[in-house]
Amino acid sequence: MLRLFAVPLPSSSVTAPTLVYLHGLLGSSADWAALQACLTEFEHIAIDLPGHGVHQAVRCQDALACGEFVAQQVQSVINPGTPLILLGYSLGARIVMQSLVSGLFAQLNLQGVILEGGHFGLACVSEREERLRADTRWANRFRHEPIEQVLSDWYQQPVFSSLNHEQRQTLITKRSANLGAAVADMLLSTSLGKQANLLADIQALSLPVHYVCGAKDTKFSTLALQSGLPCTPISQAGHNVHQEQPMAFAKTVRAFIQSVYQR
């Protein structure tokens, strides 16, 4: 978890919001370093989710329990009333969405949310059942097989199709520091197969929400554009925009914050 000092927004007496980052499955708070380096005018809080990073030993029974954990982590390091912008990537985005619609972040002074590559939820029961079966198979592999072997197959999934061989190998090496059993537990407890479709609830929020996706990430670009939410596709990026194109992502973050404070 990284925390910097808050500063005023340029040419304004308004205090800049603190940016709170939630990574995806297999990631860690360190994944946001490149983006943070492009946004040095803001304070940052990057959290290791349960089962990841320094919290590998932490277990959560479901996505809402993860949201409660996140809220506790944030409240432990901020002053009450600190304005916040939440940024969630993939699994982190889904935890943000489920927590928002359940009111778990009501005690936080949220000014806006940026979702990156987060799924709103599958439309029908059969799709959710199939996803849960697939996640259970992956979880069993993470629990019982060498993690490098599982990751080699994991990064062959269509959502990672924009990665080249070198990028895949880099990710396999980087993500091999995870504990297979911890990944398995998190994958099952937060499976997309257990998530309702949240799009209508997200659309109904009075809180500003902006979606960021990689232009080369066909699946999530389509989801984002069909959602009706304000959306920024980032060129030359796949599923993981904040690592592939941090400067372009940072530009989007600044524009979003400016729009929030001009409301």
Side-chain angles (χ1 to χ4, degrees):
M1 185 180 296
L2 174 64
R3 191 161 190 254
L4 305 176
F5 292 105
V7 295
L9 286 170
S11 304
S12 172
S13 60
V14 178
T15 300
T18 296
L19 309 185
V20 180
Y21 304 89
L22 300 184
H23 60 78
L25 188 73
L26 294 163
S28 75
S29 56
D31 292 351
W32 298 98
L35 180 61
Q36 291 172 334
C38 297
L39 293 166
T40 56
E41 68 268 39
F42 297 103
E43 178 179 271
H44 308 271
I45 301 174
I47 297 172
D48 286 324
L49 291 175
H52 296 77
V54 299
H55 296 138
Q56 284 186 340
V58 177
R59 297 291 185 271
C60 285
Q61 64 181 7
D62 54 29
L64 294 185
C66 291
E68 291 174 352
F69 176 83
V70 167
Q72 292 167 1
Q73 291 289 305
V74 174
Q75 289 173 313
S76 72
V77 297
I78 65 168
N79 294 321
T82 299
L84 305 172
I85 299 289
L86 271 177
L87 298 89
Y89 164 65
S90 194
L91 171 60
R94 293 200 294 109
I95 290 172
V96 168
M97 288 189 281
Q98 291 175 81
S99 299
L100 285 174
V101 302
S102 300
L104 290 180
F105 294 157
Q107 300 304 311
L108 302 177
N109 183 17
L110 291 184
Q111 301 298 302
V113 170
I114 295 177
L115 305 171
E116 178 192 356
H119 205 301
F120 301 109
L122 299 169
C124 63
V125 173
S126 61
E127 287 181 315
R128 291 196 288 271
E129 290 174 343
E130 176 53 36
R131 178 55 181 259
L132 185 56
R133 285 192 292 268
D135 285 347
T136 299
R137 289 192 293 269
W138 279 114
N140 287 334
R141 292 195 62 190
F142 275 114
R143 200 179 305 278
H144 299 295
E145 298 179 24
I147 193 166
E148 297 88 348
Q149 180 177 321
V150 183
L151 291 173
S152 180
D153 293 334
W154 178 265
Y155 287 114
Q156 293 296 329
Q157 295 181 93
V159 71
F160 302 114
S161 62
S162 67
L163 298 175
N164 59 37
H165 176 74
E166 182 179 354
Q167 289 171 320
R168 284 192 178 90
Q169 293 306 121
T170 298
L171 278 172
I172 291 168
T173 300
K174 184 177 181 180
R175 301 313 191 196
S176 293
N178 283 284
L179 298 178
V183 173
D185 287 345
M186 190 65 165
L187 180 57
L188 286 180
S189 64
T190 62
S191 171
L192 185 62
K194 298 179 179 179
Q195 177 183 316
N197 190 304
L198 304 173
L199 180 56
D201 293 316
I202 297 298
Q203 291 170 329
L205 292 173
S206 58
L207 187 73
V209 177
H210 195 89
Y211 201 104
V212 175
C213 56
K216 295 193 292 184
D217 183 355
T218 305
K219 176 180 177 179
F220 283 89
S221 291
T222 300
L223 284 174
L225 294 172
Q226 291 178 346
S227 73
L229 296 173
C231 172
T232 300
I234 303 293
S235 62
Q236 301 302 310
H239 189 57
N240 195 330
V241 184
H242 65 272
Q243 290 199 22
E244 296 179 43
Q245 295 293 336
M247 292 183 66
F249 198 115
K251 182 179 179 181
T252 299
V253 172
R254 288 193 184 93
F256 174 68
I257 292 174
Q258 184 177 28
S259 71
V260 166
Y261 278 82
Q262 288 178 342
R263 292 173 76 216

